[in-house]
Amino acid sequence: EHHLPSKRGNNHTSQQCVLDLGTAFLQEEDTGIRDIVELQETGFSVRIQPPGVDSFELQVSGQMLVAELHQVLMDHEITCHRTCFSLQLGGSVLDSLTELRCVQGLQDGAVIKVVEGSYSIRDARLHLRHVRDLLQSLDPTDAYNGLNGSSLSYFNFFTQGDKGNGRASERGCTDCSPPEYVLPGCKDRPLTPLQPIRDDWKPLQCLRVLTMSNWNPPPGNRKMHGDLMYLNVLTMEDKELNITSSTRGFYINQSTAFNFNPKPAVPRSLCHSLVELLSQVSPAFRKNYSMLQKKRVQQHPYERIATSFQLFTWTAPQGDHILDGVRAEETHTSRMGQDEHTAGQSRDWNEELQGSRELPKDSLQERLHRDRSIFKTNSDFACAATRGAVAVVDGNVVPLNPGEAPHLQMFIWNNIFFSLGFDVSEHYSPLGGNAAAHSAAICDLRGVQAYASVDIKGLHTLGTAVIDYRGIRVIAQTIVPGLLEKNQEQSVVYGSNDYGETVYTHPRFLELLNKTCQPLKIQRHQVLDHNNSPVDLCSGIETKGILGNDGRPYILDLLRTTPPDLNMQISVTKEVEEEVPKVCQQFGYPRRSGHRLASLRPELIDAFIQHRLFSPLSSVVCCSYELYVSMVSKGLRELERCPDGQQMAADSAEKSEDENTGLREVGEDRPRDKTTAGKKSVIMEACKAVGSVTDSCFDIRFNPDVCSPGVRFPPEYAEEVQRQKQLLWDAAAFLLSNQIPAVRISISEVIIRSAKHIFRNYLQDVEPAAFSAAVSHFLNCLLSSSSSGFLESCSDELLTRRRSRRRRSHGSRVALLTDSVWAKLTSSELWSRIRTEAEDYYHCTIQRYEVIETHSLQRISLLREISIKTGIQVQLREYAFESRHRPVFAEEDIVNMFPVVKHLKPTTTDASQLVQQAQEAVQQGLLKDGFELISQAMTLFSSICGVLHEDVSTCLRLLGRLSYILGDYADALSHQEKTVMSSERVQGIDHPQTIQDYTHLALYCFAGGRHSTSLQLLYRARYLTLLVCGEDHPQVALLDSMLGLVLHGLMEYELSQKFLQNALILTSKYHGAMSLKHAHSHHLLATMLESKGEFRSALQHEKEAFSIYKRQVGDSHDKTKESSEYLKSLTQQAVILQKVINQIYSNTPGACVPPPKFTSPNLATILQQLNLTCGIILIPLR
């Protein structure tokens, strides 16, 4: 739950201010909001008329581009086999970059004709690729291999067959038994259920072979007849076809494998689509293709649409490598996959990116167009940078400096500059060498993200991505025009390239960077240059300003955009020890770090500014802005009560001005009026108390250079520099005293991160042919319980057939592997390194023996984490981690290694503001208004980023939650189903956010009457949670409470009791035995046991709940009263049951005692308890 911060005693005033501010913003943005609503309401229907078939109706939106309509038709069931066509309205061809609402004459019911076009060689290749994708549209191979924006989704697998209106959803009519590995207490953690086999993924083979012909390319005389290329096809009937792709379409020629005859075969048949031609000549193709299309269109669009950024899965089944001539041809003809459809053409990434940023942004439509262009360019750049980085590490790109050592080499590929994360020419030696160089890449990426988010007109940053692949960190950047033509030192006009020895400034950069100081909390300051002259800077001294040949000002090396963390230092001198606050000393800080680039996160800076100091006016921690206002208010009241104090304040203000002439002044003239001077003195004192950088208003900023090596400041700034150092130390102390205590340190996270650091260096000594052996050996050392030699299982693919030779060859290979540096690693040595790394880097002590067993860590969870963080993909099978006789992993278990990519995330200001307004509206209770605002934000996000994006998922999630709270269960289900599929596709099938989305969907399904589906979704969520973090986790307590309630509602009392008892144990552990959550767990068990007829046990649990309620909230609280009434009911039922038992055993005649009531659970009550468990309060619709 999110709440607005409110001042004590002024809640009404604060809310009224928020309402006033929100109203003012809505009035200012009224035109923009109307535009958004217009975008939502401009949907209309058109009729599409393809050639040769009946027309069909299609729903479109006015904001859709003609090019986007083209893509929709390429995915539509009727027109998906066409790629080379134009769209015409009234005989006029529609421009592909025009929005439909801007097309003259296009209205509801208009007929748009699909007109076949003439093929070029590029169009033919695109068509062939599209046909290949259609034929493999049900095959998850691309998702396993991390290609073409494909990723896995299993939502439909767990929701099929139950729509809430059949007997499957009735109580007692469905099998509620969970898999054994989902039950509480089960120690098995199988891996294969992570990716279950989907029936709709079963392959439907339409062709045996589709490949390029060896007769390519067409000779000159055939080019004159329009031949573009030749294809070979082997149908399911084993019929060989030689097909010509021409400018007019496709036809079968008379060529054979050894005889070239390009003349059309008899009977002659020219088809504009390859699918149409194959359907005519192959009945098996026609039948299977039709079945494939039916299955494809049954999939939800969220399962088929490509994601903007590729997601890689850490497990994959061992599948067969199928024959794919189209894939092979693309690999050979497209310059190592640089651009599949524009071989030989390179995009100017820098010009595209900077041009997109320079687009106008005055109106909402202009901002939408600009944001869409920036997002598309950035996502394309990240994809190209990833392919280029893989090519660089694989050795497929020629370096610019081949004479240098491999780790010092630089590359240019597809107009992208690539460098490696090593210290080139000892440039980072003052900051920590290779450790600093490795960390600098991420610091620079964060800096670029920060400046891009501020979005100052005229200030340019580089497109940047950081890719970790096979132990090498690769930095990909767009190229500044002209930078490679001269030395970088000659290009720098702002900042320093040698850590302060020479410093430059430039008025153009100062003007632009000064605009970023306030939002980025950076203080404008002066340093001494190489001539001992003061130089103004508005950034860290490492930030370099370069004027490109295109006239644009670029900033590079944004390492210190956020303040340094003084808790982590390379060396701790006596001078530093004297400055360390007592809070830091109590925690054992400062500590040694491998580099000087440790910095504070922006979130911490915001929190530090909000909770700056202990207020001298009260004993509670308060906001520094509140402290500022309180001090000013108190000082002004004292001035009014004590006129004599005005003269003292005025004298103090004048003296302060004389002493601080270097500070920025607000006005031009010194105030002579004593009252004005007194007020200014009060404000100055308040600013000083909160650490404001100016003496005229509340403004906290940080000097990024106060602790930088080699930086010198003018003597008159000594006091100011000392103040800034103290401010940094205060932030460092705040991190330790306020933020870190709220964070639970995970020992497994420390272990995996330490192992990742070691693995990175470990891989750098491995030859390419031994990668699978090296990776499996490392995983065995990390996770295996076996003490046997891990390299004995290595196989040799090049063994000869003669047995004696095979023995010698195998022995020589094992000897060769053993002689490698990586092969000498042992399990004890690896864990020793992990302990050392954890101590040095994270200052966390790990015991020497049986670490995994002592901390009850799961090896499967550790495998998942190390795989995700390093890019390892392992085979989907069950691993015997506990075996002490053989290693866990073999070479065949390492399926692949993927790049781990970090890239920029463009922001959308308009949509983000709408989400913020929606949150404020919801917090004020205006749920319907919040719902509308979030709907509008989702429209903008979808228009810019596409539907498969984290921001769209967030909006869908909020819409589903608000719909559910308002009682619209059908709408909540619709939104949450899309949320689950989007989370699976964008973040991963086992991502924690996906698990949470499954949990909420289960709640909505139960409310909507789909009880069986709700149960299956909860089982899936519990399995994923067990796989990710194990059973000892508070999330498992929530899931077990929900499972117990759903099973209770379905009258599966034995299963319900197992889950509710486990939830009770975990709730007590993580929330406390006297917590309200624990009382609620007791109550859930009591109600279930009552339905089961075990009144004594139910009475005992409800007594515990009543005791907690009474102690925590008092006798007058509703919860306590409800528990008391329920106790009376249970007591009465228990007495009646005992009387019946006594009568049965006594066998005495008498009046018949009525038996106790065993009532079936009320589903409405179960739903109410589910809502309370999930923290949801329903608001009925009026």
Side-chain angles (χ1 to χ4, degrees):
E1 294 182 3
H2 302 282
H3 300 279
L4 285 173
S6 59
K7 300 181 177 65
R8 290 181 179 270
N10 288 322
N11 291 337
H12 175 74
T13 305
S14 301
Q15 293 177 3
Q16 187 61 45
C17 290
V18 171
L19 283 171
D20 293 341
L21 289 173
T23 303
F25 182 85
L26 287 174
Q27 290 174 349
E28 293 175 4
E29 296 291 325
D30 187 49
T31 304
I33 296 297
R34 283 201 302 269
D35 289 344
I36 298 172
V37 175
E38 181 184 352
L39 287 178
Q40 291 178 313
E41 294 179 350
T42 51
F44 55 94
S45 296
V46 295
R47 295 204 67 82
I48 305 297
Q49 179 61 69
V53 295
D54 295 335
S55 63
F56 61 90
E57 193 174 88
L58 186 67
Q59 187 75 18
V60 297
S61 65
Q63 67 185 23
M64 180 184 288
L65 297 176
V66 174
E68 293 173 334
L69 177 58
H70 194 285
Q71 291 295 321
V72 170
L73 294 178
M74 287 175 59
D75 188 65
H76 195 274
E77 180 181 8
I78 298 176
T79 56
C80 62
H81 61 283
R82 300 184 180 276
T83 60
C84 185
F85 59 87
S86 62
L87 300 176
Q88 295 185 8
L89 177 66
S92 300
V93 178
L94 304 183
D95 181 26
S96 61
L97 298 180
T98 303
E99 293 184 349
L100 295 184
R101 64 194 183 107
C102 298
V103 176
Q104 187 175 2
L106 184 59
Q107 56 188 359
D108 191 65
V111 177
I112 298 178
K113 289 187 176 181
V114 177
V115 180
E116 298 173 345
S118 178
Y119 283 97
S120 66
I121 183 65
R122 177 179 179 274
D123 295 330
R125 290 186 181 276
L126 282 171
H127 184 83
L128 184 61
R129 169 64 182 271
H130 183 68
V131 171
R132 178 258 186 193
D133 291 342
L134 283 177
L135 298 183
Q136 297 184 6
S137 56
L138 301 181
D139 191 350
T141 302
D142 281 353
Y144 295 139
N145 293 332
L147 299 173
N148 305 320
S150 297
S151 53
L152 300 173
S153 174
Y154 291 96
F155 162 77
N156 280 324
F157 180 85
F158 294 100
T159 57
Q160 59 189 359
D162 178 15
K163 299 301 179 183
N165 54 2
R167 294 188 57 83
S169 63
E170 298 178 6
R171 290 185 285 179
C173 297
T174 182
D175 183 14
C176 300
S177 302
E180 189 71 24
Y181 53 81
V182 175
L183 288 174
C186 180
K187 300 301 182 182
D188 294 336
R189 298 290 181 264
L191 187 57
T192 50
L194 177 63
Q195 296 176 4
I197 300 175
R198 289 182 51 168
D199 292 336
D200 57 344
W201 284 355
K202 290 182 179 179
L204 281 172
Q205 192 173 4
C206 299
L207 294 173
R208 295 195 187 279
V209 177
L210 171 61
T211 185
M212 302 291 287
S213 170
N214 290 332
W215 296 114
N216 284 305
N221 65 319
R222 291 309 304 174
K223 289 182 181 179
M224 303 296 289
H225 286 81
D227 291 5
L228 300 175
M229 61 182 181
Y230 304 117
L231 308 175
N232 285 341
V233 172
L234 180 61
T235 67
M236 298 301 295
E237 297 88 354
D238 292 328
K239 183 178 180 180
E240 295 185 10
L241 302 176
N242 285 271
I243 298 176
T244 297
S245 171
S246 72
T247 55
R248 293 187 295 170
F250 299 84
Y251 61 88
I252 300 174
N253 60 46
Q254 299 181 29
S255 296
T256 63
F258 302 101
N259 182 32
F260 180 66
N261 186 353
K263 296 297 180 70
V266 179
R268 299 183 179 184
S269 178
L270 175 66
C271 298
H272 194 264
S273 165
L274 180 60
V275 170
E276 291 178 342
L277 178 64
L278 294 174
S279 298
Q280 291 181 7
V281 299
S282 172
F285 177 90
R286 181 169 60 253
K287 176 184 176 181
N288 290 347
Y289 179 78
S290 176
M291 295 174 58
L292 184 147
Q293 280 296 94
K294 289 180 181 179
K295 286 190 174 183
R296 189 181 73 87
V297 298
Q298 287 174 358
Q299 291 182 330
H300 195 281
Y302 277 50
E303 295 181 282
R304 306 199 310 261
I305 300 173
T307 59
S308 299
F309 301 100
Q310 184 64 56
L311 179 71
F312 301 101
T313 176
W314 66 279
T315 60
Q318 190 69 47
D320 296 330
H321 188 57
I322 62 174
L323 185 67
D324 191 340
V326 179
R327 178 192 61 217
E329 178 68 15
E330 287 178 351
T331 304
H332 288 295
T333 61
S334 62
R335 296 174 59 187
M336 298 167 294
Q338 170 183 313
D339 192 328
E340 288 83 353
H341 309 309
T342 57
Q345 303 177 24
S346 295
R347 295 171 64 175
D348 191 339
W349 296 106
N350 187 71
E351 183 58 36
E352 285 190 38
L353 184 61
Q354 311 308 335
S356 298
R357 291 173 178 167
E358 291 173 342
L359 290 172
K361 52 179 178 178
D362 298 328
S363 68
L364 175 65
Q365 289 300 327
E366 289 177 343
R367 291 194 295 274
L368 283 178
H369 177 63
R370 178 178 183 267
D371 291 343
R372 188 185 299 119
S373 178
I374 291 175
F375 180 84
K376 183 67 169 63
T377 304
N378 181 72
S379 59
D380 288 351
F381 170 78
C383 182
T386 303
R387 290 200 301 266
V390 171
V392 165
V393 176
D394 287 343
N396 296 329
V397 182
V398 178
L400 296 175
N401 50 342
E404 300 283 350
H407 67 282
L408 303 179
Q409 291 175 345
M410 295 171 286
F411 309 83
I412 290 183
W413 183 89
N414 196 9
N415 273 340
I416 302 175
F417 178 77
F418 294 93
S419 58
L420 307 181
F422 299 102
D423 187 10
V424 179
S425 303
E426 299 185 350
H427 177 72
Y428 288 100
S429 57
L431 301 179
N434 277 331
H438 187 84
S439 180
I442 296 299
C443 294
D444 182 54
L445 181 68
R446 292 172 182 165
V448 174
Q449 180 70 64
Y451 279 97
S453 301
V454 174
D455 197 14
I456 299 299
K457 183 178 180 180
L459 184 64
H460 297 269
T461 55
L462 302 183
T464 307
V466 178
I467 302 97
D468 293 300
Y469 179 61
R470 292 191 175 182
I472 305 293
R473 170 157 288 181
V474 182
I475 301 96
Q477 295 174 306
T478 56
I479 302 173
V480 177
L483 181 60
L484 298 178
E485 300 171 6
K486 48 189 173 182
N487 197 328
Q488 183 172 328
E489 286 77 3
Q490 301 172 353
S491 306
V492 175
V493 297
Y494 172 89
S496 175
N497 202 39
D498 48 20
Y499 302 101
E501 292 186 14
T502 56
V503 188
Y504 303 96
T505 191
H506 193 281
R508 187 174 177 185
F509 282 95
L510 281 178
E511 178 187 0
L512 293 170
L513 288 172
N514 191 54
K515 299 177 183 178
T516 69
C517 288
Q518 195 279 330
L520 295 180
K521 306 296 186 296
I522 296 176
Q523 183 189 17
R524 180 167 178 164
H525 56 284
Q526 287 187 347
V527 300
L528 296 178
D529 66 1
H530 43 286
N531 297 321
N532 288 327
S533 300
V535 171
D536 281 339
L537 294 177
C538 293
S539 62
I541 200 170
E542 298 91 351
T543 299
K544 301 170 186 59
I546 294 177
L547 291 173
N549 285 357
D550 54 2
R552 297 185 179 111
Y554 295 88
I555 52 175
L556 291 72
D557 295 342
L558 310 176
L559 311 181
R560 294 193 186 274
T561 305
T562 56
D565 182 3
L566 298 188
N567 289 316
M568 311 300 294
Q569 302 194 15
I570 288 184
S571 60
V572 182
T573 62
K574 291 184 178 180
E575 180 183 356
V576 171
E577 290 179 348
E578 295 174 357
E579 301 173 345
V580 180
K582 291 183 179 179
V583 174
C584 297
Q585 294 178 3
Q586 291 173 356
F587 284 93
Y589 288 91
R591 295 178 177 175
R592 290 180 57 84
S593 173
H595 55 80
R596 293 180 181 270
L597 294 180
S599 58
L600 302 175
R601 292 179 177 269
E603 300 89 343
L604 175 77
I605 300 303
D606 293 337
F608 173 69
I609 292 174
Q610 287 298 316
H611 302 277
R612 168 69 177 86
L613 294 168
F614 277 92
S615 171
L617 305 178
S618 65
S619 60
V620 298
V621 177
C622 72
C623 165
S624 55
Y625 184 71
E626 292 178 358
L627 171 59
Y628 171 78
V629 173
S630 300
M631 292 189 65
V632 171
S633 300
K634 181 181 179 183
L636 293 180
R637 287 195 299 269
E638 290 179 352
L639 283 177
E640 293 175 358
R641 290 197 302 267
C642 183
D644 295 337
Q646 294 179 4
Q647 180 62 45
M648 296 174 59
D651 294 341
S652 174
E654 291 179 5
K655 180 180 178 182
S656 178
E657 283 188 6
D658 293 337
E659 292 176 352
N660 298 282
T661 54
L663 295 177
R664 182 181 55 155
E665 298 182 0
V666 177
E668 296 180 357
D669 300 322
R670 179 178 298 179
R672 298 301 179 186
D673 185 80
K674 294 180 180 180
T675 303
T676 304
K679 293 179 179 178
K680 183 172 183 179
S681 175
V682 171
I683 294 174
M684 290 171 60
E685 290 297 324
C687 290
K688 184 177 180 181
V690 298
S692 176
V693 297
T694 175
D695 61 353
S696 60
C697 64
F698 177 80
D699 189 3
I700 295 180
R701 304 185 190 184
F702 297 86
N703 184 336
D705 290 330
V706 291
C707 297
S708 298
V711 178
R712 299 173 299 130
F713 297 93
E716 60 268 23
Y717 274 86
E719 183 178 350
E720 175 64 19
V721 170
Q722 194 59 37
R723 270 206 320 139
Q724 278 292 320
K725 276 190 179 181
Q726 186 58 46
L727 189 63
L728 285 175
W729 276 118
D730 291 344
F734 172 79
L735 171 64
L736 297 175
S737 60
N738 290 63
Q739 296 297 107
I740 286 185
V743 179
R744 182 172 174 234
I745 298 178
S746 170
I747 189 68
S748 63
E749 188 71 13
V750 172
I751 290 173
I752 291 303
R753 292 194 180 200
S754 301
K756 182 186 72 172
H757 299 166
I758 298 168
F759 184 70
R760 182 176 67 232
N761 296 326
Y762 169 88
L763 277 187
Q764 293 172 11
D765 296 326
V766 178
E767 62 170 346
F771 263 115
S772 59
V775 174
S776 62
H777 178 68
F778 184 90
L779 293 179
N780 279 321
C781 292
L782 179 67
L783 301 173
S784 180
S785 301
S786 172
S787 57
S788 60
F790 297 138
L791 294 178
E792 294 298 324
S793 61
C794 293
S795 61
D796 191 350
E797 299 177 349
L798 301 178
L799 295 180
T800 60
R801 294 184 178 179
R802 293 173 57 186
R803 186 175 181 184
S804 59
R805 292 280 302 277
R806 181 164 62 249
R807 287 179 177 176
R808 290 198 299 270
S809 180
H810 180 70
S812 63
R813 183 172 192 263
V814 172
L816 180 62
L817 292 177
T818 308
D819 291 339
S820 303
V821 175
W822 60 264
K824 297 179 181 179
L825 181 69
T826 63
S827 181
S828 58
E829 181 185 355
L830 174 59
W831 279 99
S832 176
R833 292 186 190 178
I834 289 175
R835 284 190 291 271
T836 303
E837 182 72 11
E839 180 66 34
D840 294 344
Y841 201 92
Y842 299 105
H843 309 285
C844 177
T845 302
I846 299 177
Q847 65 180 34
R848 294 186 61 84
Y849 303 105
E850 303 294 336
V851 178
I852 295 179
E853 290 76 9
T854 302
H855 294 280
S856 301
L857 304 180
Q858 287 190 154
R859 285 181 165 85
I860 189 67
S861 300
L862 296 177
L863 173 62
R864 174 185 177 273
E865 288 297 324
I866 191 68
S867 298
I868 292 174
K869 284 181 168 57
T870 59
I872 299 173
Q873 187 182 55
V874 298
Q875 183 179 349
L876 184 70
R877 70 171 183 87
E878 306 307 337
Y879 292 96
F881 291 103
E882 307 304 324
S883 174
R884 296 188 175 274
H885 304 290
R886 56 180 303 176
V888 178
F889 302 94
E891 288 185 72
E892 294 75 16
D893 292 323
I894 310 304
V895 178
N896 205 346
M897 284 202 71
F898 289 124
V900 179
V901 186
K902 300 177 180 67
H903 54 78
L904 299 176
K905 298 180 179 179
T907 56
T908 306
T909 306
D910 293 287
S912 300
Q913 288 178 347
L914 285 172
V915 172
Q916 184 177 357
Q917 291 176 50
Q919 290 175 339
E920 293 173 358
V922 170
Q923 289 165 358
Q924 296 164 27
L926 307 174
L927 300 187
K928 292 184 178 179
D929 292 343
F931 185 94
E932 291 301 322
L933 289 169
I934 293 174
S935 298
Q936 294 163 7
M938 188 181 70
T939 299
L940 295 188
F941 280 129
S942 301
S943 173
I944 293 166
C945 312
V947 293
L948 291 183
H949 191 269
E950 291 182 19
D951 292 330
V952 178
S953 298
T954 300
C955 291
L956 286 168
R957 191 175 299 116
L958 293 173
L959 289 174
R961 191 144 179 116
L962 286 176
S963 298
Y964 183 77
I965 292 174
L966 292 169
D968 191 347
Y969 298 152
D971 208 20
L973 267 173
S974 176
H975 289 305
Q976 191 63 22
E977 285 175 349
K978 295 176 183 177
T979 304
V980 171
M981 285 185 283
S982 179
S983 295
E984 285 186 315
R985 294 290 316 282
V986 175
Q987 296 180 293
I989 58 175
D990 56 350
H991 192 276
Q993 184 61 64
T994 304
I995 299 174
Q996 189 174 9
D997 290 336
Y998 264 113
T999 305
H1000 288 143
L1001 181 60
L1003 173 64
Y1004 304 163
C1005 282
F1006 189 89
R1010 298 170 58 181
H1011 307 137
S1012 176
T1013 298
S1014 175
L1015 191 62
Q1016 295 305 316
L1017 292 172
L1018 286 174
Y1019 285 154
R1020 174 67 172 176
R1022 192 177 200 275
Y1023 165 72
L1024 294 175
T1025 305
L1026 294 176
L1027 187 69
V1028 172
C1029 56
E1031 194 167 40
D1032 189 12
H1033 195 276
Q1035 178 68 17
V1036 178
L1038 172 66
L1039 289 169
D1040 284 357
S1041 296
M1042 295 182 67
L1043 276 166
L1045 281 166
V1046 173
L1047 289 165
H1048 180 196
L1050 296 175
M1051 297 187 294
E1052 295 286 342
Y1053 301 132
E1054 293 297 333
L1055 281 174
S1056 176
Q1057 185 171 354
K1058 290 182 180 180
F1059 286 105
L1060 288 177
Q1061 285 177 339
N1062 194 61
L1064 182 71
I1065 296 172
L1066 292 174
T1067 304
S1068 174
K1069 178 177 181 179
Y1070 286 103
H1071 299 285
M1074 297 304 295
S1075 66
L1076 295 178
K1077 287 183 179 292
H1078 196 226
H1080 184 63
S1081 292
H1082 275 296
H1083 177 71
L1084 296 183
L1085 259 173
T1087 56
M1088 187 278 304
L1089 291 170
E1090 180 200 12
S1091 298
K1092 192 179 178 183
E1094 298 181 7
F1095 295 107
R1096 290 181 180 275
S1097 298
L1099 189 63
Q1100 186 63 35
H1101 281 289
E1102 192 59 33
K1103 284 181 179 179
E1104 294 288 342
F1106 175 77
S1107 174
I1108 297 173
Y1109 284 135
K1110 183 177 180 180
R1111 180 172 178 178
Q1112 296 293 341
V1113 297
D1115 292 328
S1116 60
H1117 196 272
D1118 290 343
K1119 280 293 181 184
T1120 310
K1121 294 178 181 179
E1122 291 174 6
S1123 182
S1124 177
E1125 291 297 324
Y1126 187 50
L1127 270 176
K1128 294 177 183 179
S1129 174
L1130 286 176
T1131 302
Q1132 184 179 2
Q1133 295 280 35
V1135 170
I1136 294 174
L1137 178 62
Q1138 188 62 46
K1139 288 182 179 179
V1140 172
I1141 294 175
N1142 292 341
Q1143 185 183 24
I1144 293 174
Y1145 280 100
S1146 63
N1147 291 322
T1148 58
C1152 180
V1153 179
K1157 299 179 181 179
F1158 294 88
T1159 58
S1160 300
N1162 186 298
L1163 292 181
T1165 304
I1166 295 294
L1167 179 60
Q1168 182 182 6
Q1169 294 299 327
L1170 279 170
N1171 291 330
L1172 290 174
T1173 301
C1174 297
I1176 293 177
I1177 301 176
L1178 294 184
I1179 300 176
L1181 288 171
R1182 292 187 176 92

